[in-house]
Amino acid sequence: MTRRARGLLVCLCAIWATGLAWGADPEPSATPAPASSPSPSPSASASPTPIPFDANVALDADLQMDFRSETLATFALANAGNGFRWLSTAHDAAENTRPGLTLFQIPVYDAVVRFAQGRVQEMDVSLYNRGDSGTLARDRFDALVQSCVKALTDFTKIQPADAGKNASEAVRTNAQVWQTDKARFLLESSSSRDPETGTYRAEFVRLTITAPEKPKSMMEESLASMGVSTAPKFAGASHVKTQPNGDVLIADIPMVDQGDKGYCVVASAERVLRYYGNKVDENELAQIANSSAKKGTSSTAMLDSLKVISDKLHVKTRTLEEFDEQRFESMFDDYDRAASRGQRAKPLDRKVKTFDELLAQINPDILLEVRTKNPSDMDRFFRTVQTQINQGIPPLWSVMMGLFPKGTDPDEFGGHMRLIIGYNLKTNEVLFSDSWGYGHELSRMPLPKAWTITTDLYSIEPLQ
């Protein structure tokens, strides 16, 4: 049963590698807002067979490894059958969302291991996040943090140190660190005030494990205290590759699987920011953008929130294409006129409660005809895409999903955000990627169809 058929249930699957099993509606309006209910990820058409979940799995043994030298091969061997699956065909990250997953007998909602040059680079463990776990009362949240602190202190046999402030953090966290000769354990927790009610809101508890940090020089310490990055400047054009078939693609964009949450906007933003070298995750960005796991994140709210912290993250945001309410109404008026000619389709009922219901009424061929009748807007859109891609900057692409499914199965109707990662002038195609994990790294769509489903186009760009 696919995720499309199961709604919000998670379709967990495995990848076989080296012979080992690895594996609420918006307010009603005349024209419902398009980006308020992004769809959860469907299963990849090429998803491997799921691992049978017949026993709980603990991650405790993984914390014993030497993060200075652990290889991908030895990690895979130690975790055969434990529920890890590749996030993409690049094999640069593996994720585990297996039911019953624990660490120190504490439930784990998600564990991601990232690799670089055949070695384990980082392990991120989500011990609580609002999107997957729902709300958590303050006393239970505090008790969870204390349990984690005690477990890590017992495990490392050293007392934690205050991790201090990190200038690159997207949100303010309470952070403690334990460093051994084999690894550095960073425990971060965050809470906020609900912007609607003003009440306490637990956000996330996460553990990040990396190789031990080397002592910083006096200059590095000084620059870090001033929030000055010592990382090399991002060279976007160096990531652009031209293939023999005419594809012009941005390589090295990390994959994120948004899971069963309506987090397509924050997952897409996380991918872009990680591509630029910012270590953020969708739960941090969801806190900033006030995301709802059920309703998703408004793309405009997400971009407004990113603008607030753009200096901290060393990025800037730009709107490249935007559909306001007036533009939507004009498009739907044109659609109704075209549909009425020869009684090809019924006029749209614009008083439905959700954008999904509105999209379900649309005849995609008629909308395609309407939006491409005057190709100047479409051509401008394609030129913008080419300019962004040539600079190594993947645009965030807000679309009306469900009109032109990318696979053999129908997509759910709704507002959705993707990344445009390339183009092909020979075939006149837009190349894109959904934040749905393995099998969704690269898809393609003819330009007329891509323009027809476009609502907004944004960029998150590194500061030079």
Side-chain angles (χ1 to χ4, degrees), residues 141 171-174 188-192 201-204 287:
F141 181 78
V171 297
R172 183 177 298 175
T173 63
N174 293 317
E188 298 174 283
S189 60
S190 182
S191 59
S192 66
R201 187 170 72 179
E203 294 289 351
F204 61 83
Q287 178 178 341

Side-chain angles (χ1 to χ4, degrees), residues 319-323 327 380-381 451 454-458:
T319 300
L320 306 173
E321 188 77 40
E322 186 173 29
F323 256 57
R327 197 171 175 185
R380 185 197 65 245
F381 164 77
W451 169 244
T454 296
T455 57
D456 304 300
L457 194 68
Y458 301 102

Side-chain angles (χ1 to χ4, degrees), residues 363-377:
N363 179 315
D365 293 331
I366 296 176
L367 187 62
L368 174 67
E369 174 189 311
V370 166
R371 292 210 67 182
T372 59
K373 185 176 182 180
N374 182 352
S376 60
D377 288 342

Side-chain angles (χ1 to χ4, degrees), residues 41-323:
S41 59
S43 299
S45 58
S47 290
T49 305
I51 293 175
F53 298 129
D54 53 3
N56 292 345
V57 170
L59 294 173
D60 301 34
D62 289 324
L63 270 62
Q64 301 279 0
M65 62 185 173
D66 191 333
F67 278 76
R68 299 169 299 181
S69 58
E70 186 77 10
T71 66
L72 186 159
T74 54
F75 180 86
L77 183 63
N79 285 276
N82 282 354
F84 279 96
R85 66 189 192 280
W86 294 115
L87 275 176
S88 74
T89 53
H91 290 186
D92 55 1
E95 183 178 39
N96 195 335
T97 54
R98 177 174 183 160
L101 193 65
T102 64
L103 178 65
F104 306 131
Q105 299 183 330
I106 300 170
V108 169
Y109 291 91
D110 180 60
V112 177
V113 182
R114 307 182 197 280
F115 306 96
Q117 299 178 336
R119 294 183 181 275
V120 174
Q121 184 181 50
E122 179 179 296
M123 185 172 185
D124 298 317
V125 181
S126 176
L127 297 154
Y128 166 79
N129 70 78
R130 177 167 54 87
D132 285 319
S133 321
T135 58
L136 192 65
R138 175 178 251 167
D139 57 344
R140 294 184 60 193
F141 181 78
D142 292 343
L144 172 61
V145 173
Q146 291 305 312
S147 295
C148 294
V149 170
K150 183 179 186 305
L152 284 164
T153 301
D154 291 344
F155 173 76
T156 60
K157 297 180 173 55
I158 57 176
Q159 291 298 313
D162 187 345
K165 294 182 179 180
N166 185 344
S168 65
E169 281 185 339
V171 297
R172 183 177 298 175
T173 63
N174 293 317
Q176 298 181 76
V177 64
W178 297 254
Q179 180 151 302
T180 68
D181 58 342
K182 294 181 178 180
R184 180 178 187 267
F185 303 88
L186 175 65
L187 182 70
E188 298 174 283
S189 60
S190 182
S191 59
S192 66
R193 291 285 176 185
D194 189 308
E196 296 179 2
T197 65
T199 57
Y200 174 88
R201 187 170 72 179
E203 294 289 351
F204 61 83
V205 180
R206 70 177 177 219
L207 175 65
T208 302
I209 312 162
T210 57
E213 280 192 347
K214 296 179 180 178
K216 291 186 175 67
S217 67
M218 291 181 63
M219 180 174 288
E220 288 174 327
E221 290 283 5
S222 178
L223 291 173
S225 67
M226 295 185 291
V228 177
S229 174
T230 57
K233 287 188 176 182
F234 176 78
S238 66
H239 295 266
V240 181
K241 310 297 180 186
T242 301
Q243 307 297 332
N245 67 349
D247 286 353
V248 180
L249 277 167
I250 301 177
D252 309 321
I253 299 176
M255 175 53 78
V256 169
D257 188 345
Q258 72 183 76
D260 60 346
K261 307 181 290 299
Y263 272 17
C264 62
V265 176
V266 292
S268 298
E270 178 188 347
R271 295 179 66 188
V272 174
L273 292 167
R274 280 190 174 273
Y275 165 63
Y276 294 151
N278 288 296
K279 291 186 177 181
V280 297
D281 68 30
E282 62 182 1
N283 298 309
E284 286 180 276
L285 298 176
Q287 178 178 341
I288 297 166
N290 192 32
S291 299
S292 163
K294 293 182 179 179
K295 292 185 179 180
T297 312
S298 160
S299 56
T300 52
M302 181 72 225
L303 270 293
D304 286 345
S305 298
L306 282 174
K307 287 175 182 177
V308 173
I309 59 165
S310 59
D311 289 341
K312 181 179 290 188
L313 294 177
H314 303 290
V315 296
K316 61 182 177 181
T317 58
R318 288 199 300 137
T319 300
L320 306 173
E321 188 77 40
E322 186 173 29
F323 256 57

Side-chain angles (χ1 to χ4, degrees), residues 331-342:
M331 180 181 70
F332 292 142
D333 286 343
D334 291 342
Y335 173 89
D336 283 342
R337 282 191 290 270
S340 66
R341 290 194 293 270

